[in-house]
Amino acid sequence: MENSVSNTCYYNHNVTFFYNWVGKKISEAWTTRDFVVIGLGLTVSVIVVLANLMVMVAIFINRRFHFPIYYLLGNMAAADLFAGISYINLMLNTGPWTPLLTKEQWYIRGALIDISLTASVANLLAVALERHQTIFTMQLHSKMTKRRVVLLIVGIWGVSIIMGLVPSTFWNCECDLNDCSTVAPLYSRRFLIFWAVLNLLTFFIMMSMYTRIFIYVRYQSQRASQHASEMWHNEAVVNLMKIISMVLGAFVICWTPGLVILLLDGLLGKASRANDYEKFCLVIAECNSLVNPIIYSLRDHEMRRTFKHILCCLCQRGADQRRESPSVEIDSPLPEDSQRKYEAQALCLSADPNNIEDSWTKPGV
């Protein structure tokens, strides 16, 4: 019986068939818990999208961030933004909506999550390699050309898209039901093992690289303690390393439980009871996309300054649009209004990181 099941392909069966096969329950009607989960998930996802969009805009408009390391951090923000979009799509296609999905739609839902995670991991690895190269050559920023950075970013997304498409193209369980995952019923358990082990191995490689970097920076800081210029350089390196390490630490903490669940599901199948912890791990993973912008704003003075500039200009533009509403006719502005507009423009100008005096050459890290 098992051999006949293994040798038969079930291409014509719907998503519900695979869920029933692995025993994963699908909600038949909306419950209060479903509304709470979806409402909270959508709220967090929208915040994730807006926060990471602000990071990307800040890196784009501030010339002090026009270095390879910040381009890679901006690309990581793009991966988090993409994760927020994938979570929104997941929230709009879960619960009682799941049986309505075609297999193609279900694969797309999973591929979006896979692509965002793979892009984040690949970005972290690229950042680790960039820091390793620059710090061991006693530089603050890499001399990598913009063309190489662009090619690296394109390569990251190319690999991520390929990894996201693998389950839907050939590595699934539609021809081997005994290989079906309980967390993702159409995915192959062997693919989950491969994917989880690959990501966990990448984490260990990055952590070992950063450990080596920290030991080296600490050693150099002790040697350069008598030279002010070298002390400043090492302080800047350490500050930037703290930001990157916090991003890496947050990523490992948020995603490791989910990867472990996938690994157990791949190894043990139904015996792992992975479905009991799936949603909990997904919520933790989603929080990672919200943590990174908070780390940037708390640790990077220049990033906080740029955030204030963006918010100030948005508020100023909104105020100008309300004053220029065609439904209200004003012959001449009152002195108080002119004074308020002048003060707002001055505040926006003072918050512009591009208006800092050129004599202040220390980068904001």
Side-chain angles (χ1 to χ4, degrees):
M1 180 65 181
E2 291 183 358
N3 291 333
S4 63
V5 170
S6 300
N7 296 328
T8 304
C9 292
Y10 293 83
Y11 296 126
N12 296 326
H13 289 69
N14 57 20
V15 172
T16 304
F17 170 81
F18 292 91
Y19 272 72
N20 292 336
W21 175 262
V22 299
K24 186 171 184 178
K25 184 179 178 181
I26 301 178
S27 301
E28 297 180 356
W30 292 102
T31 63
T32 303
R33 180 176 175 274
D34 293 328
F35 286 117
V36 171
V37 170
I38 292 177
L40 185 61
L42 287 175
T43 302
V44 173
S45 298
V46 170
I47 296 174
V48 166
V49 171
L50 295 178
N52 286 283
L53 183 61
M54 181 175 292
V55 172
M56 295 172 63
V57 172
I59 293 175
F60 177 77
I61 67 174
N62 191 336
R63 70 173 183 270
R64 295 184 182 275
F65 297 143
H66 292 181
F67 295 97
I69 181 63
Y70 285 106
Y71 292 147
L72 293 175
L73 291 177
N75 195 44
M76 191 184 304
D80 289 333
L81 184 148
F82 191 79
I85 296 174
S86 66
Y87 288 132
I88 291 175
N89 180 72
L90 179 63
M91 291 297 102
L92 297 179
N93 293 282
T94 191
W97 284 323
T98 302
L100 303 178
L101 298 175
T102 64
K103 285 194 297 185
E104 290 75 16
Q105 292 172 331
W106 189 94
Y107 278 125
I108 291 174
R109 190 185 73 172
L112 294 178
I113 300 292
D114 296 345
I115 292 171
S116 62
L117 174 59
T118 305
S120 295
V121 173
N123 271 291
L124 284 171
L125 182 59
V127 169
L129 293 173
E130 192 273 350
R131 286 292 87 191
H132 189 275
Q133 176 189 359
T134 55
I135 289 177
F136 278 86
T137 56
M138 294 301 295
Q139 299 174 0
L140 179 60
H141 296 293
S142 172
K143 295 182 178 180
M144 185 187 305
T145 63
K146 291 184 178 180
R147 180 181 179 183
R148 289 185 178 180
V149 175
V150 171
L151 291 176
L152 179 58
I153 292 174
V154 171
I156 288 173
W157 284 103
V159 172
S160 303
I161 293 173
I162 291 174
M163 291 297 295
L165 295 178
V166 164
S168 62
T169 52
F170 63 91
W171 206 344
N172 52 58
C173 67
E174 292 188 47
C175 292
D176 187 2
L177 295 183
N178 295 322
D179 191 37
C180 287
S181 162
T182 57
V183 172
L186 276 77
Y187 276 25
S188 167
R189 289 164 54 190
R190 288 172 294 177
F191 171 75
L192 294 183
I193 295 173
F194 165 77
W195 198 58
V197 169
L198 183 63
N199 284 284
L200 290 173
L201 181 61
T202 306
F203 290 166
F204 287 126
I205 293 174
M206 289 186 292
M207 292 180 69
S208 63
M209 291 179 65
Y210 279 116
T211 301
R212 185 168 183 262
I213 290 173
F214 273 120
I215 294 174
Y216 178 79
V217 171
R218 183 178 179 181
Y219 172 73
Q220 291 295 329
S221 298
Q222 293 174 350
R223 289 188 58 187
S225 58
Q226 298 179 353
H227 304 280
S229 60
E230 293 185 7
M231 284 182 62
W232 167 82
H233 178 273
N234 281 280
E235 181 183 355
V237 170
V238 170
N239 287 336
L240 185 55
M241 284 297 301
K242 286 181 179 179
I243 297 174
I244 297 171
S245 300
M246 292 175 68
V247 171
L248 175 63
F251 191 91
V252 172
I253 292 172
C254 292
W255 276 105
T256 299
L259 293 176
V260 171
I261 287 296
L262 293 180
L263 185 59
L264 293 176
D265 181 29
L267 293 173
L268 304 177
K270 296 180 182 179
S272 65
R273 301 182 63 87
N275 282 327
D276 297 341
Y277 309 99
E278 173 197 5
K279 294 187 181 298
F280 176 72
C281 293
L282 185 62
V283 171
I284 297 178
E286 184 178 1
C287 291
N288 176 77
S289 299
L290 186 60
V291 169
N292 289 345
I294 297 176
I295 294 174
Y296 297 143
S297 60
L298 291 179
R299 296 294 309 179
D300 196 315
H301 173 74
E302 189 71 16
M303 188 70 73
R304 291 200 304 271
R305 182 191 295 269
T306 310
F307 284 170
K308 291 178 182 178
H309 164 65
I310 296 172
L311 294 175
C312 172
C313 291
L314 289 176
C315 293
Q316 172 67 19
R317 183 174 300 177
D320 289 344
Q321 290 178 350
R322 286 193 296 271
R323 291 193 188 97
E324 296 173 1
S325 175
S327 59
V328 180
E329 296 182 359
I330 302 178
D331 294 335
S332 60
L334 295 176
E336 296 84 0
D337 293 338
S338 299
Q339 180 66 21
R340 286 197 208 99
K341 185 173 182 180
Y342 172 78
E343 291 175 353
Q345 291 175 340
L347 178 61
C348 186
L349 183 63
S350 65
D352 190 347
N354 292 324
N355 291 319
I356 301 175
E357 294 182 4
D358 293 336
S359 59
W360 188 59
T361 58
K362 178 180 178 180
V365 293

